[in-house]
Each structure stands twice: as structure tokens, then as C-alpha cells.
Amino acid sequence: MWSKPDNQTLLVVGKTLVDETPAAAAVTIKGSMIRNSNVVQTLFMQKKLGSAGYLTYPGTFLTGGSINAQQGQFTSGSFNALSRQEVKAIADSSTGGVMPAPTGQVIDNVAGFQGLLLDGAVVAATVRQLNLNFQKEGAAAYYGMGATGAEGMIRGDLSATGTAEIFFKTFDLYDRYRNEATGPLSFRQVDGAGQAYVLTVLNNFLNNPEIVAGGRNQPVIAKFEIEGNPDPVTGKTFQIDRLA
């Protein structure tokens, strides 16, 4: 099991400790984390087109994206980017080499979905759908006379929004909205190779609740908008933890 009691801690619990054999053997927990900051980080990207050559995209800046998890569907996501320019190349121009296409299995939302947490506690209701959107509002490339490529990038300000659909069970989440409570919202997914990804809106407010009783013999669904605000301690908005 896992929990996220605050915006800077990820706890993994639930295993009985035993003596190591041999004694003092090394134990390694592998993981990494990314979250938004005020640093402008650009990438060099290229696309190989068979034996014809490459299209290269220097100065690529990621401006947003979305991650969608829904019952009956595989988890999907997309990212948007701005580049300084597009350039044709005959040879590999990257210092990192060409990466092969991914071969891993997709994340399914039966075995792959590991729970939704608010303030580090598991939400006691069944989740039907989660959508997260993040966008660098105001991000743009700027151009000047005398050059075809962009002269620089405007960083923009990150906004994190989304929606959640949950089978209605209690008024706990509705009361949270009425009390204007905020805190971290996290959900964890595991891919086919067993690698876990914890996506966290660091200071979330569940907004605009809509409790829908669709009709006879239909479940009652609670719909909420996810509003991400900067964390009062770190100033960050969105974070992804990866555990190998």
C-alpha cells in the first residue's frame, strides 16, 4: 500500500520486515520525480523518417498536456510543444541517439489503477473517470525580423485542471466542497512492467459538484471539477512520481 500524507512525502507501507540474508545486504528503492518550476527547460527533438532522413526540432518547449483514465478504456495522454523551428537533416543530429519505439504494455484501468487519495487518505468510493489537464497559459515563441526561427520562449504560467466522476456513496466529498477544503489529490497507476506512477495535484480544490441521478435502474454519479492551486509551501502545482 502507499499513501501521500503531504506534498513532499510518499510512504510505502504494508510489508512485514524480515532479517536480510546476508546481513547488511544493500536495499535500493528506485524512483524519480518531476514537477513544475520557474526554469525554462527546452529539448532537442528529432523524428526519423525511414532512410530518407530526419526532421529536427531544436528549442522544443513543452506547453501542456492531458492524462485521461476511464473505466473501460486504457489510460491515454498527450503533450503539446512549441519549437524554435523545423529543420530537415540527412544524418542524426542528436547527441543522445535515436530512441526505439516503446514496446511496453498499455496501462489498463483494472489491474493498473491503484486508488484515488485526498490528503493522503484513500477515497472510500469507486472512481469511474479521472481527467487531468495542465497548460502553460501565455506560453509562446517570439519572433523578430531577420530570422526564420523563434528568438526565444515565453514561459507562461501553469494551470492544472480536470474532472472526476465517482459513484456517489456519501456526502463526504460534497461536504469538502462546501467547507472549501484544499489539499493534495493523488492517483496511482501501474504499467505492464510493474512501474508505478503517482500523479498529484499538490493543492487541489474539488469544485462545482454535480450529483446526477440519471434515472430508474441507473447509478448515482458525483461529478467534480479539479482545480489545482499552487502549494502554499513549495509554490508548485503538479507533480509526477515514478517508482521502478
Side-chain angles (χ1 to χ4, degrees):
M1 295 180 62
W2 64 281
S3 64
K4 197 166 182 62
D6 57 53
N7 297 332
Q8 302 183 59
T9 305
L10 182 67
L11 299 179
V12 181
V13 297
K15 293 292 185 180
T16 302
L17 299 179
V18 296
D19 292 337
E20 291 180 316
T21 303
V27 176
T28 302
I29 298 176
K30 296 182 178 180
S32 57
M33 177 269 288
I34 58 172
R35 61 185 176 188
N36 64 293
S37 72
N38 57 5
V39 177
V40 176
Q41 178 71 53
T42 61
L43 307 171
F44 178 88
M45 301 182 70
Q46 65 178 1
K47 179 167 56 178
K48 185 176 182 181
L49 303 173
S51 59
Y54 301 80
L55 287 175
T56 67
Y57 302 89
T60 297
F61 180 57
L62 297 179
T63 59
S66 65
I67 299 174
N68 307 300
Q70 180 178 349
Q71 181 271 328
Q73 303 288 334
F74 297 119
T75 296
S76 63
S78 63
F79 294 89
N80 304 320
L82 292 172
S83 298
R84 181 175 183 269
Q85 60 185 346
E86 179 184 77
V87 181
K88 181 183 72 174
I90 303 301
D92 181 3
S93 304
S94 174
T95 58
V98 179
M99 296 178 63
T103 58
Q105 298 180 4
V106 296
I107 298 177
D108 75 83
N109 284 312
V110 177
F113 183 71
Q114 302 292 307
L116 174 68
L117 277 74
L118 276 170
D119 298 331
V122 176
V123 174
T126 301
V127 180
R128 186 167 77 168
Q129 181 174 323
L130 284 168
N131 300 309
L132 293 178
N133 304 295
F134 33 96
Q135 183 68 34
K136 289 287 188 72
E137 296 181 353
Y142 58 87
Y143 298 83
M145 293 187 292
T148 58
E151 295 301 310
M153 293 287 177
I154 300 173
R155 177 172 57 89
D157 298 308
L158 181 71
S159 67
T161 60
T163 58
E165 292 188 9
I166 300 168
F167 288 99
F168 180 79
K169 186 175 181 180
T170 69
F171 277 103
D172 290 348
L173 297 180
Y174 181 82
D175 291 340
R176 181 185 178 91
Y177 156 74
R178 293 296 299 268
N179 294 330
E180 299 183 355
T182 62
L185 177 147
S186 303
F187 72 95
R188 177 178 182 259
Q189 295 201 298
V190 178
D191 65 17
Q195 300 174 123
Y197 303 85
V198 182
L199 294 87
T200 304
V201 179
L202 297 174
N203 190 27
N204 162 75
F205 174 53
L206 290 178
N207 200 10
N208 294 331
E210 182 182 357
I211 300 176
V212 180
R216 185 177 181 180
N217 297 323
Q218 294 186 24
V220 180
I221 301 296
K223 300 180 180 180
F224 293 88
E225 293 181 4
I226 297 171
E227 178 183 296
N229 299 294
D231 176 65
V233 177
T234 65
K236 313 306 180 185
T237 304
F238 183 70
Q239 177 173 318
I240 300 177
D241 293 274
R242 177 180 177 272
L243 303 176

PDB file of all heavy atoms in Angstrom, residues 1 14 17 20 29-30 35 48 54 73 88 116 119 128 134 164 205 207 235:
ATOM      1  N   MET A   1       0.838  -1.188   0.000  1.00  0.00           N
ATOM      2  CA  MET A   1       0.000   0.000   0.000  1.00  0.00           C
ATOM      3  C   MET A   1       0.878   1.245   0.000  1.00  0.00           C
ATOM      4  O   MET A   1       2.065   1.185   0.284  1.00  0.00           O
ATOM      5  CB  MET A   1      -0.920   0.010   1.229  1.00  0.00           C
ATOM      6  CG  MET A   1      -1.948  -1.093   1.268  1.00  0.00           C
ATOM      7  SD  MET A   1      -2.964  -0.980   2.749  1.00  0.00           S
ATOM      8  CE  MET A   1      -3.730   0.631   2.508  1.00  0.00           C
ATOM      9  N   GLY A  14       2.930  -1.624   4.536  1.00  0.00           N
ATOM     10  CA  GLY A  14       2.120  -2.826   4.427  1.00  0.00           C
ATOM     11  C   GLY A  14       2.902  -4.115   4.330  1.00  0.00           C
ATOM     12  O   GLY A  14       2.320  -5.192   4.243  1.00  0.00           O
ATOM     13  N   LEU A  17       8.605  -6.694   7.964  1.00  0.00           N
ATOM     14  CA  LEU A  17      10.057  -6.640   7.868  1.00  0.00           C
ATOM     15  C   LEU A  17      10.665  -7.963   8.327  1.00  0.00           C
ATOM     16  O   LEU A  17      10.239  -8.554   9.319  1.00  0.00           O
ATOM     17  CB  LEU A  17      10.601  -5.491   8.716  1.00  0.00           C
ATOM     18  CG  LEU A  17      10.135  -4.084   8.327  1.00  0.00           C
ATOM     19  CD1 LEU A  17      10.748  -3.055   9.267  1.00  0.00           C
ATOM     20  CD2 LEU A  17      10.498  -3.774   6.887  1.00  0.00           C
ATOM     21  N   GLU A  20      17.633  -9.614   6.762  1.00  0.00           N
ATOM     22  CA  GLU A  20      18.225  -9.838   5.452  1.00  0.00           C
ATOM     23  C   GLU A  20      19.211 -10.993   5.493  1.00  0.00           C
ATOM     24  O   GLU A  20      19.837 -11.266   6.515  1.00  0.00           O
ATOM     25  CB  GLU A  20      18.967  -8.584   4.986  1.00  0.00           C
ATOM     26  CG  GLU A  20      18.067  -7.420   4.667  1.00  0.00           C
ATOM     27  CD  GLU A  20      18.885  -6.233   4.209  1.00  0.00           C
ATOM     28  OE1 GLU A  20      19.917  -5.945   4.826  1.00  0.00           O
ATOM     29  OE2 GLU A  20      18.505  -5.614   3.217  1.00  0.00           O
ATOM     30  N   ILE A  29      15.712   1.506  -3.406  1.00  0.00           N
ATOM     31  CA  ILE A  29      14.409   1.914  -3.911  1.00  0.00           C
ATOM     32  C   ILE A  29      14.661   2.926  -5.023  1.00  0.00           C
ATOM     33  O   ILE A  29      15.257   3.974  -4.790  1.00  0.00           O
ATOM     34  CB  ILE A  29      13.541   2.536  -2.805  1.00  0.00           C
ATOM     35  CG1 ILE A  29      13.270   1.506  -1.702  1.00  0.00           C
ATOM     36  CG2 ILE A  29      12.224   3.047  -3.381  1.00  0.00           C
ATOM     37  CD1 ILE A  29      12.502   2.069  -0.527  1.00  0.00           C
ATOM     38  N   LYS A  30      14.235   2.590  -6.228  1.00  0.00           N
ATOM     39  CA  LYS A  30      14.482   3.448  -7.372  1.00  0.00           C
ATOM     40  C   LYS A  30      13.247   4.283  -7.678  1.00  0.00           C
ATOM     41  O   LYS A  30      12.134   3.772  -7.687  1.00  0.00           O
ATOM     42  CB  LYS A  30      14.859   2.612  -8.597  1.00  0.00           C
ATOM     43  CG  LYS A  30      16.174   1.841  -8.449  1.00  0.00           C
ATOM     44  CD  LYS A  30      16.497   1.077  -9.718  1.00  0.00           C
ATOM     45  CE  LYS A  30      17.819   0.342  -9.589  1.00  0.00           C
ATOM     46  NZ  LYS A  30      18.143  -0.419 -10.824  1.00  0.00           N
ATOM     47  N   ARG A  35       8.192  17.993 -11.306  1.00  0.00           N
ATOM     48  CA  ARG A  35       7.112  18.917 -11.019  1.00  0.00           C
ATOM     49  C   ARG A  35       7.461  20.267 -11.623  1.00  0.00           C
ATOM     50  O   ARG A  35       8.614  20.529 -11.969  1.00  0.00           O
ATOM     51  CB  ARG A  35       6.850  19.035  -9.518  1.00  0.00           C
ATOM     52  CG  ARG A  35       8.005  19.544  -8.683  1.00  0.00           C
ATOM     53  CD  ARG A  35       7.642  19.481  -7.210  1.00  0.00           C
ATOM     54  NE  ARG A  35       8.740  19.876  -6.349  1.00  0.00           N
ATOM     55  CZ  ARG A  35       8.727  19.770  -5.024  1.00  0.00           C
ATOM     56  NH1 ARG A  35       7.663  19.258  -4.426  1.00  0.00           N
ATOM     57  NH2 ARG A  35       9.747  20.153  -4.299  1.00  0.00           N
ATOM     58  N   LYS A  48      12.784  10.449 -37.014  1.00  0.00           N
ATOM     59  CA  LYS A  48      13.422   9.726 -38.104  1.00  0.00           C
ATOM     60  C   LYS A  48      12.356   9.219 -39.066  1.00  0.00           C
ATOM     61  O   LYS A  48      11.379   8.592 -38.656  1.00  0.00           O
ATOM     62  CB  LYS A  48      14.244   8.555 -37.568  1.00  0.00           C
ATOM     63  CG  LYS A  48      15.043   7.835 -38.650  1.00  0.00           C
ATOM     64  CD  LYS A  48      15.920   6.734 -38.066  1.00  0.00           C
ATOM     65  CE  LYS A  48      16.744   6.072 -39.163  1.00  0.00           C
ATOM     66  NZ  LYS A  48      17.602   4.981 -38.628  1.00  0.00           N
ATOM     67  N   TYR A  54      15.760  12.945 -41.402  1.00  0.00           N
ATOM     68  CA  TYR A  54      15.168  13.356 -40.139  1.00  0.00           C
ATOM     69  C   TYR A  54      14.496  14.722 -40.287  1.00  0.00           C
ATOM     70  O   TYR A  54      14.860  15.527 -41.143  1.00  0.00           O
ATOM     71  CB  TYR A  54      16.246  13.489 -39.052  1.00  0.00           C
ATOM     72  CG  TYR A  54      17.035  12.235 -38.778  1.00  0.00           C
ATOM     73  CD1 TYR A  54      18.089  11.858 -39.612  1.00  0.00           C
ATOM     74  CD2 TYR A  54      16.753  11.443 -37.675  1.00  0.00           C
ATOM     75  CE1 TYR A  54      18.829  10.717 -39.356  1.00  0.00           C
ATOM     76  CE2 TYR A  54      17.492  10.298 -37.407  1.00  0.00           C
ATOM     77  CZ  TYR A  54      18.526   9.939 -38.250  1.00  0.00           C
ATOM     78  OH  TYR A  54      19.261   8.810 -37.994  1.00  0.00           O
ATOM     79  N   GLN A  73     -11.475   1.870 -20.595  1.00  0.00           N
ATOM     80  CA  GLN A  73     -10.533   2.415 -21.568  1.00  0.00           C
ATOM     81  C   GLN A  73      -9.112   2.299 -21.017  1.00  0.00           C
ATOM     82  O   GLN A  73      -8.901   2.272 -19.803  1.00  0.00           O
ATOM     83  CB  GLN A  73     -10.836   3.890 -21.857  1.00  0.00           C
ATOM     84  CG  GLN A  73     -12.235   4.164 -22.351  1.00  0.00           C
ATOM     85  CD  GLN A  73     -12.448   3.689 -23.781  1.00  0.00           C
ATOM     86  OE1 GLN A  73     -11.500   3.606 -24.561  1.00  0.00           O
ATOM     87  NE2 GLN A  73     -13.686   3.380 -24.126  1.00  0.00           N
ATOM     88  N   LYS A  88      15.172  20.152 -41.741  1.00  0.00           N
ATOM     89  CA  LYS A  88      15.458  18.856 -42.363  1.00  0.00           C
ATOM     90  C   LYS A  88      16.919  18.492 -42.146  1.00  0.00           C
ATOM     91  O   LYS A  88      17.803  19.350 -42.195  1.00  0.00           O
ATOM     92  CB  LYS A  88      15.156  18.930 -43.858  1.00  0.00           C
ATOM     93  CG  LYS A  88      15.407  17.624 -44.606  1.00  0.00           C
ATOM     94  CD  LYS A  88      15.161  17.798 -46.097  1.00  0.00           C
ATOM     95  CE  LYS A  88      16.263  18.621 -46.740  1.00  0.00           C
ATOM     96  NZ  LYS A  88      16.118  18.682 -48.215  1.00  0.00           N
ATOM     97  N   LEU A 116      -7.470   6.370  -5.553  1.00  0.00           N
ATOM     98  CA  LEU A 116      -7.515   7.832  -5.512  1.00  0.00           C
ATOM     99  C   LEU A 116      -7.382   8.271  -4.061  1.00  0.00           C
ATOM    100  O   LEU A 116      -8.061   7.737  -3.181  1.00  0.00           O
ATOM    101  CB  LEU A 116      -8.834   8.336  -6.099  1.00  0.00           C
ATOM    102  CG  LEU A 116      -9.100   9.840  -6.008  1.00  0.00           C
ATOM    103  CD1 LEU A 116      -8.135  10.615  -6.896  1.00  0.00           C
ATOM    104  CD2 LEU A 116     -10.543  10.150  -6.396  1.00  0.00           C
ATOM    105  N   ASP A 119      -5.679  14.171   0.625  1.00  0.00           N
ATOM    106  CA  ASP A 119      -4.976  14.426   1.885  1.00  0.00           C
ATOM    107  C   ASP A 119      -4.298  13.169   2.415  1.00  0.00           C
ATOM    108  O   ASP A 119      -4.221  12.948   3.626  1.00  0.00           O
ATOM    109  CB  ASP A 119      -5.933  14.982   2.943  1.00  0.00           C
ATOM    110  CG  ASP A 119      -6.544  16.310   2.534  1.00  0.00           C
ATOM    111  OD1 ASP A 119      -5.889  17.053   1.785  1.00  0.00           O
ATOM    112  OD2 ASP A 119      -7.680  16.595   2.949  1.00  0.00           O
ATOM    113  N   ARG A 128     -14.998   6.298 -11.477  1.00  0.00           N
ATOM    114  CA  ARG A 128     -15.324   5.903 -12.846  1.00  0.00           C
ATOM    115  C   ARG A 128     -14.427   6.580 -13.871  1.00  0.00           C
ATOM    116  O   ARG A 128     -14.087   5.991 -14.894  1.00  0.00           O
ATOM    117  CB  ARG A 128     -16.791   6.206 -13.162  1.00  0.00           C
ATOM    118  CG  ARG A 128     -17.221   5.679 -14.528  1.00  0.00           C
ATOM    119  CD  ARG A 128     -18.714   5.678 -14.721  1.00  0.00           C
ATOM    120  NE  ARG A 128     -19.235   7.013 -15.000  1.00  0.00           N
ATOM    121  CZ  ARG A 128     -20.479   7.239 -15.424  1.00  0.00           C
ATOM    122  NH1 ARG A 128     -21.317   6.227 -15.584  1.00  0.00           N
ATOM    123  NH2 ARG A 128     -20.893   8.472 -15.645  1.00  0.00           N
ATOM    124  N   PHE A 134      -3.061  20.067 -17.952  1.00  0.00           N
ATOM    125  CA  PHE A 134      -2.120  21.076 -17.477  1.00  0.00           C
ATOM    126  C   PHE A 134      -1.655  21.898 -18.668  1.00  0.00           C
ATOM    127  O   PHE A 134      -1.362  21.372 -19.740  1.00  0.00           O
ATOM    128  CB  PHE A 134      -0.939  20.450 -16.733  1.00  0.00           C
ATOM    129  CG  PHE A 134      -0.507  19.105 -17.239  1.00  0.00           C
ATOM    130  CD1 PHE A 134       0.534  18.979 -18.131  1.00  0.00           C
ATOM    131  CD2 PHE A 134      -1.159  17.959 -16.820  1.00  0.00           C
ATOM    132  CE1 PHE A 134       0.929  17.744 -18.602  1.00  0.00           C
ATOM    133  CE2 PHE A 134      -0.773  16.708 -17.288  1.00  0.00           C
ATOM    134  CZ  PHE A 134       0.278  16.606 -18.184  1.00  0.00           C
ATOM    135  N   ALA A 164     -13.467  14.704 -12.284  1.00  0.00           N
ATOM    136  CA  ALA A 164     -13.537  13.393 -11.642  1.00  0.00           C
ATOM    137  C   ALA A 164     -14.991  12.951 -11.592  1.00  0.00           C
ATOM    138  O   ALA A 164     -15.875  13.751 -11.265  1.00  0.00           O
ATOM    139  CB  ALA A 164     -12.950  13.446 -10.232  1.00  0.00           C
ATOM    140  N   PHE A 205      -8.626  21.716  -5.124  1.00  0.00           N
ATOM    141  CA  PHE A 205      -9.953  22.076  -4.624  1.00  0.00           C
ATOM    142  C   PHE A 205     -10.987  21.412  -5.521  1.00  0.00           C
ATOM    143  O   PHE A 205     -11.001  21.636  -6.732  1.00  0.00           O
ATOM    144  CB  PHE A 205     -10.137  23.597  -4.627  1.00  0.00           C
ATOM    145  CG  PHE A 205     -11.527  24.051  -4.250  1.00  0.00           C
ATOM    146  CD1 PHE A 205     -12.119  23.628  -3.075  1.00  0.00           C
ATOM    147  CD2 PHE A 205     -12.239  24.902  -5.082  1.00  0.00           C
ATOM    148  CE1 PHE A 205     -13.400  24.042  -2.724  1.00  0.00           C
ATOM    149  CE2 PHE A 205     -13.516  25.326  -4.744  1.00  0.00           C
ATOM    150  CZ  PHE A 205     -14.100  24.897  -3.563  1.00  0.00           C
ATOM    151  N   ASN A 207     -14.366  21.306  -7.065  1.00  0.00           N
ATOM    152  CA  ASN A 207     -15.248  22.440  -7.318  1.00  0.00           C
ATOM    153  C   ASN A 207     -16.475  22.004  -8.121  1.00  0.00           C
ATOM    154  O   ASN A 207     -16.476  20.964  -8.775  1.00  0.00           O
ATOM    155  CB  ASN A 207     -14.467  23.510  -8.089  1.00  0.00           C
ATOM    156  CG  ASN A 207     -15.099  24.875  -7.996  1.00  0.00           C
ATOM    157  OD1 ASN A 207     -16.024  25.105  -7.215  1.00  0.00           O
ATOM    158  ND2 ASN A 207     -14.609  25.802  -8.806  1.00  0.00           N
ATOM    159  N   GLY A 235       5.050  26.282  -3.577  1.00  0.00           N
ATOM    160  CA  GLY A 235       4.694  27.113  -4.721  1.00  0.00           C
ATOM    161  C   GLY A 235       4.468  26.328  -5.994  1.00  0.00           C
ATOM    162  O   GLY A 235       4.191  26.912  -7.042  1.00  0.00           O
TER     163      GLY A 235
END
